[in-house]
Amino acid sequence: ENMESQVNIADLAFRSHCPVARSLDLVGDKWTLLIMRDALFLGRKTFADFAGGLERIPTNLLSDRLKKLVGLGLLHKQQYHERPARYEYVPTPLGNELRPLLTAMRVFGETHLEGKA
């Protein structure tokens, strides 16, 4: 199996010591939290599952973000089919810790931005 390189969070270059800024350095781009939303709340696991989302993430960006999320330890990549090799991405305990953040963002969007879950 192709092992993804693990990123040591302590080795990352952060903008400051502010915990909000550091969290944004980790997951603050346009796509990362949407992928985690799909994994945590919508049961998406495969590349095709994520690519079929409403926001239509470009596949090159999806591939990059999945590698990043695996490297950061937020998702675990596991092979589920031998030939051809197929993988699924499952939230890790660290990834599951993003649930309250995403729930708060959903509530804010529903309450103030006319969003619908």
Side-chain angles (χ1 to χ4, degrees):
E1 180 179 331
N2 179 13
M3 295 299 294
E4 296 290 329
S5 60
Q6 193 71 12
V7 176
N8 184 346
I9 291 176
D11 293 337
L12 295 176
F14 292 107
R15 289 180 274 183
S16 74
H17 290 288
C18 171
V20 174
R22 285 178 172 230
S23 295
L24 286 170
D25 287 340
L26 219 59
V27 296
D29 66 83
K30 183 176 177 178
W31 297 106
T32 301
L33 286 176
L34 291 176
I35 293 169
M36 290 305 300
R37 172 208 62 191
D38 289 356
L40 290 166
F41 295 104
L42 302 179
R44 295 191 175 140
K45 292 182 178 184
T46 66
F47 189 92
D49 290 344
F50 292 113
L54 288 174
E55 292 84 10
R56 296 288 178 213
I57 182 172
T59 55
N60 62 322
L61 294 178
L62 175 57
S63 179
D64 177 69
R65 294 315 184 278
L66 287 171
K67 286 178 187 161
K68 174 185 173 183
L69 288 165
V70 169
L72 292 170
L74 296 170
L75 292 175
H76 173 71
K77 180 180 178 181
Q78 57 192 32
Q79 188 170 352
Y80 70 91
H81 193 270
E82 191 85 19
R83 290 182 189 215
R86 298 269 190 244
Y87 299 90
E88 62 183 13
Y89 299 86
V90 180
T92 64
L94 182 63
N96 271 300
E97 291 195 35
L98 289 173
R99 276 182 190 275
L101 171 66
L102 289 165
T103 298
M105 292 178 75
R106 178 184 52 82
V107 170
F108 182 88
E110 288 172 347
T111 305
H112 303 290
L113 306 174
E114 299 178 13
K116 302 208 184 320

